[in-house]
Amino acid sequence: MGNHRAPELTEPTLLTYHDAATGEHTALSATELGGCAAQVAGLLREGCGIAEGGRAAVMLPPHWLTAAVLMGAWSAGLQLSLQGKATAGLQVLEPGADTPYDVLFVAGDRIGSWLEHVPDAKQRFSVFAEEAPEGYRDLEAALDEFSPHLPPPARTRAGDAATPDGTSYGAWGAIAGEIAGQIGLRPGDRLLVDAAVHEHPLKWLLAPLSAGASVVVAANAGPEALAALAESERVTHKLQ
């Protein structure tokens, strides 16, 4: 895992992540991103023993590793609750849930934030932190133990719940398609997303993927940096 930049990609880039503050620039093809998602699925099934229908809480900003977490958890048949600074009013974590989640993925800087409710979970993973706090495991270190080959996907159907509020996989796909249509995305397009503004994965991940487009996620980027990135990455559409 970690900062990954292949010298030569044998297939087109699907997701590019650029952080203007840290200098990280990661480009992943569909195969490479799928391998990362497979490691997440393996961790959830084999490492955590979570069965299909389990509940995962995700409190992560737009990032290539966040994409792997979402895709891996869904491929394992888990229901996802999301929370962030820009969730667009869609499914969020339930602050008073009596039953703990099966697994929690949370950014290190959000664990102690009074602005965010961090729910209880049987398994807790810290992401984007130099050192995992007490009671948490470092996600990237945990993923290194698992194969990048995707295990058999969960036996989910379009009508099955993808989130604890009952929203189905089919409904999420339809919403993602509507957003892609509103943006005007088509196969082969390249979407630039300002991570500080559009945090919900429906916009920065699911919509472009549903349209057959690729995505460039820009973090900590001001107007000039966004303009330069749009030119260098040859984007066709922008979400800023």
Side-chain angles (χ1 to χ4, degrees):
M1 305 299 292
N3 191 4
H4 173 81
R5 176 73 181 189
E8 292 185 8
L9 290 174
T10 57
E11 58 181 294
T13 299
L14 179 66
L15 189 152
T16 300
Y17 176 81
H18 178 80
D19 190 328
T22 65
E24 178 184 356
H25 190 89
T26 299
L28 297 174
S29 66
T31 298
E32 291 170 320
L33 182 57
C36 296
Q39 289 179 289
V40 172
L43 169 66
L44 294 172
R45 290 185 182 180
E46 302 169 20
C48 299
I50 302 175
E52 295 177 21
R55 297 195 311 155
V58 181
M59 301 174 68
L60 301 174
H63 191 276
W64 64 266
L65 187 52
T66 303
V69 166
L70 296 170
M71 296 169 67
W74 265 325
S75 72
L78 273 61
Q79 296 178 11
L80 302 187
S81 285
L82 308 167
Q83 185 180 57
K85 301 172 184 175
T87 55
L90 297 174
Q91 173 66 21
V92 297
L93 298 174
E94 306 88 34
D98 296 327
T99 305
Y101 286 86
D102 294 291
V103 62
L104 164 68
F105 300 96
V106 59
D109 62 356
R110 298 184 178 184
I111 292 175
S113 172
W114 63 271
L115 295 173
E116 312 258 13
H117 171 77
V118 180
D120 188 20
K122 300 172 185 177
Q123 302 278 347
R124 297 185 291 181
F125 292 94
S126 172
V127 193
F128 317 129
E130 292 185 5
E131 184 176 351
E134 184 177 354
Y136 290 80
R137 296 166 61 190
D138 178 75
L139 177 61
E140 291 195 60
L143 289 178
D144 286 340
E145 303 177 15
F146 295 90
S147 169
H149 300 291
L150 193 66
R155 296 180 295 276
T156 54
R157 295 163 295 185
D160 291 343
T163 51
D165 68 345
T167 304
S168 68
Y169 288 95
W172 275 73
I175 296 171
E178 289 179 8
I179 294 174
Q182 293 170 2
I183 300 171
L185 292 175
R186 295 183 178 181
D189 282 342
R190 195 150 170 79
L191 176 67
L192 174 65
V193 179
D194 185 346
V197 179
H198 302 284
E199 183 159 313
H200 200 285
L202 272 170
K203 290 188 175 181
W204 70 265
L205 180 65
L206 301 183
L209 293 188
S210 72
S214 59
V215 61
V216 179
V217 177
N220 302 305
E224 292 184 1
L226 286 170
L229 195 59
E231 182 176 356
S232 64
E233 293 289 342
R234 299 180 180 179
V235 302
T236 59
H237 296 72
K238 302 177 184 178
L239 275 180
Q240 298 178 212

